[in-house]
Amino acid sequence: MSLLPIILCGGAGSRLWPVSRESHPKPFIRLADGESLLQKAFLRAVALPGVKEVLTVTNRDLFFKTEDDFREVNAKGYATSFILEPFGRNTAAAVATAALHTAKLHGEQTVMLVLAADHLIADQAAFAAAVAQAQTLAQAGKVVTFGVHPETPETGYGYIEADGEKVVRFVEKPSLEKAREYLASGKFVWNSGMFCFTAGTILKEMQQHCPEILGAASECMEKSPSAAGKDGAQVRLEPGSFGEVPEVSFDYAVMEKCEHAAVVRCDIGWTDVGSWTALSDLSPADASGNRVEGEALLLDVKNCYLRGDARLIGAVGVENLIVIDTPDALLVADKDRAQDVKQIFAELKARGHETYKVHRTVHRPWGTYSVLEEGPRFKIKRIEVKPGASLSLQMHHHRNEHWVVVSGMAKVVNGEREFFVSTNESTYIPAGHKHRLENPGVVELVMIEVQSGEYLGEDDIVRFEDIYGRT
């Protein structure tokens, strides 16, 4: 294999709360054209010459969502394989496991192209040219990074000082004054966070510069089961040994120490979509500088970004605001404080508030559920089950459930009974009963579930059988 793109898909995207959440992070945000950032990264990768497979490193809880995103856009059937982390350990661990996997399956001469799942690149032709240049350097033993020509004195990006293709030094996010100096000098480029090298080269560099990371990752890979899924190979990293891998960024572990680092300067229309300000710039502005996604009525409003999923947003006499409306959370922020949204996310997480983690609509391998209303002793959900999909055989200790089929047909296991429930019919699942819901048809199954009981948390579940391997 000549070129293997590696997509790193994870993170919380805390600066893009409330649309980005821990179980639905930034790569899954849909843009105005309906495609997610992850889908765009996949399509960008498979459009490169010689690519036959894409390897994705992601959290195991995001696996089925990632598969669904790829399946929507993978019309030509490119091979997809996965390394599934039980939890995040930063980018050095991800690169190490990907390199070990690549060397074992495809050989040490395979060129790895490491891409982030949440970046945008506007110029595919320029990107392909930069990758071709990077491949040549990688095959000559270089560890290549991509440096983007800076357009503004951006303080949210890292910088690389370069002398031609040679990396002089890496610089962390600078002050505004320093960023202006870097821009004026012409010697600095933005650090894009994309890399290119052969599997053998990066394993040698990691052995030299961060042997504790490579050693722990190697031990973890030896203990981790590998299986062939219906869309490609899966390696499920063993949690105990993976937890021993030091949590360090790839830049710090390797790039800042590497004597064979090279940079490909490029102008590819790159952005890392790191804040609501950056995301708003992707939408066209009206005569007053306002950008709107969804339905809004504005009166004397200037330089605002308003995004709503379902409800009408009305705004009067305001300027320079970000307004993001979701079914269960509303963000209102000054545009100049867009980077500080991550502090709201951090506080919600510290409080254990569910809005840092999940949306009202939650994706599962079998479909989705949306919480319509809840209160003391009751919760109402709308459940959609994909054709041919099945929930686990399960039991709840503390809640009873009433199921009403709205459309489609359900195959139900309830205790010792197995039967079908058609549209406009219902069934009752008492607490303590083993039960399963399945969609045997070829159309979506939609049903309303009414839960009642002393405790209605999602962790009140015992799984006995599950076709998706969840425990």
Side-chain angles (χ1 to χ4, degrees):
M1 182 175 295
S2 58
L3 181 64
L4 178 65
I6 315 292
I7 297 179
L8 306 185
C9 178
S14 56
R15 289 175 293 177
L16 289 172
W17 183 87
V19 173
S20 179
R21 312 224 178 157
E22 196 168 88
S23 66
H24 184 84
K26 183 168 66 165
F28 299 96
I29 290 179
R30 299 275 170 154
L31 302 184
D33 61 3
E35 290 180 352
S36 68
L37 292 168
L38 174 61
Q39 288 175 326
K40 290 183 178 297
F42 177 83
L43 292 171
R44 186 184 312 131
V46 297
L48 295 169
V51 170
K52 299 177 181 178
E53 177 184 338
V54 174
L55 171 63
T56 303
V57 184
T58 190
N59 187 287
R60 63 177 60 178
D61 290 339
L62 300 176
F63 169 59
F64 294 104
K65 190 191 296 283
T66 303
E67 264 197 324
D68 286 344
D69 261 26
F70 287 170
R71 197 175 292 116
E72 280 185 22
V73 296
N74 191 12
K76 295 184 178 180
Y78 291 95
T80 55
S81 53
F82 300 87
I83 295 176
L84 304 178
E85 300 177 335
F87 39 78
R89 297 301 284 173
N90 216 318
T91 50
V95 171
T97 55
L100 290 163
H101 179 77
T102 300
K104 180 179 179 180
L105 264 66
H106 303 297
E108 292 192 356
Q109 295 307 309
T110 300
V111 176
M112 300 169 59
L113 176 65
V114 178
L115 305 172
D118 53 4
H119 292 177
L120 278 178
I121 292 175
D123 192 335
Q124 179 70 27
F127 173 63
V131 171
Q133 184 181 347
Q135 276 186 269
T136 300
L137 290 168
Q139 288 165 338
K142 298 294 185 181
V143 179
V144 186
T145 184
F146 294 80
V148 176
H149 293 293
E151 301 169 354
T152 58
E154 176 61 55
T155 60
Y157 299 154
Y159 285 72
I160 302 170
E161 184 179 0
D163 181 7
E165 292 176 349
K166 180 177 174 58
V167 172
V168 177
R169 62 177 172 134
F170 289 85
V171 182
E172 291 296 321
K173 298 173 183 178
S175 65
L176 181 58
E177 182 181 355
K178 278 290 184 183
R180 285 171 176 159
E181 287 181 20
Y182 296 161
L183 193 65
S185 74
K187 298 179 181 178
F188 290 81
V189 288
W190 287 335
N191 184 357
S192 70
M194 300 185 297
F195 308 98
C196 188
F197 34 70
T198 67
T201 294
I202 200 58
L203 289 174
K204 187 185 301 180
E205 292 290 336
M206 296 191 88
Q207 182 60 46
Q208 178 181 350
H209 299 297
C210 54
E212 67 286 353
I213 293 176
L214 183 62
S218 181
E219 183 176 341
C220 176
M221 290 293 285
E222 290 176 3
K223 295 180 178 180
S224 300
S226 179
K230 61 182 178 180
D231 290 328
Q234 304 169 21
V235 178
R236 299 176 67 88
L237 297 180
E238 192 274 319
S241 54
F242 188 64
E244 297 299 316
V245 182
E247 190 172 0
V248 183
S249 74
F250 180 72
D251 271 347
Y252 180 79
V254 177
M255 295 305 299
E256 294 179 11
K257 306 169 186 176
C258 180
E259 297 176 0
H260 303 102
V263 61
V264 170
R265 294 170 175 259
C266 50
D267 187 3
I268 54 179
W270 171 90
T271 175
D272 76 343
V273 198
S275 68
W276 281 117
T277 303
L279 194 60
S280 72
D281 288 342
L282 304 177
S283 302
D286 65 15
S288 298
N290 298 308
R291 304 170 194 268
V292 177
E293 294 182 35
E295 188 178 10
L297 288 177
L298 310 181
L299 178 61
D300 296 330
V301 174
K302 298 179 182 177
N303 194 34
C304 288
Y305 175 54
L306 303 100
R307 173 177 173 142
D309 291 336
R311 297 182 294 191
L312 168 72
I313 299 174
V316 180
V318 295
E319 297 184 24
N320 210 48
L321 288 183
I322 296 167
V323 179
I324 311 297
D325 186 34
T326 68
D328 61 345
L330 171 68
L331 171 69
V332 181
D334 188 292
K335 268 193 171 183
D336 296 333
R337 301 287 300 277
Q339 297 288 339
D340 294 333
V341 173
K342 63 184 179 183
Q343 296 181 29
I344 296 289
F345 179 93
E347 179 62 23
L348 290 169
K349 186 171 184 177
R351 295 183 183 186
H353 198 286
E354 64 178 9
T355 53
Y356 89 88
K357 188 170 186 177
V358 296
H359 283 278
R360 281 280 177 89
T361 295
V362 178
H363 292 259
R364 289 289 186 256
W366 43 261
T368 64
Y369 72 80
S370 303
V371 178
L372 304 180
E373 188 175 351
E374 61 182 308
R377 294 185 55 84
F378 82 93
K379 182 185 291 185
I380 304 173
K381 289 181 176 180
R382 182 182 190 272
I383 296 176
E384 295 187 15
V385 185
K386 301 172 187 175
S390 170
L391 282 68
S392 58
L393 180 64
Q394 57 187 250
M395 182 266 286
H396 309 296
H397 290 291
H398 303 289
R399 71 175 184 248
N400 309 292
E401 296 178 348
H402 298 259
W403 295 350
V404 181
V405 174
V406 176
S407 63
M409 176 177 284
K411 183 179 180 181
V412 175
V413 172
N414 187 354
E416 300 300 320
R417 299 174 59 219
E418 181 175 298
F419 53 93
F420 291 92
V421 182
S422 301
T423 302
N424 295 325
E425 295 180 344
S426 64
T427 189
Y428 169 64
I429 312 291
H433 268 217
K434 285 186 180 181
H435 59 277
R436 191 203 305 268
L437 175 65
E438 180 181 344
N439 181 358
V442 295
V443 298
E444 202 91 358
L445 165 64
V446 180
M447 52 171 276
I448 300 297
E449 176 182 273
V450 180
Q451 302 176 0
S452 62
E454 293 289 344
Y455 180 72
L456 305 175
E458 294 300 325
D459 56 348
D460 177 21
I461 183 170
V462 179
R463 288 193 175 97
F464 301 98
E465 297 174 9
D466 184 66
I467 63 175
Y468 307 107
R470 296 171 297 172
T471 57

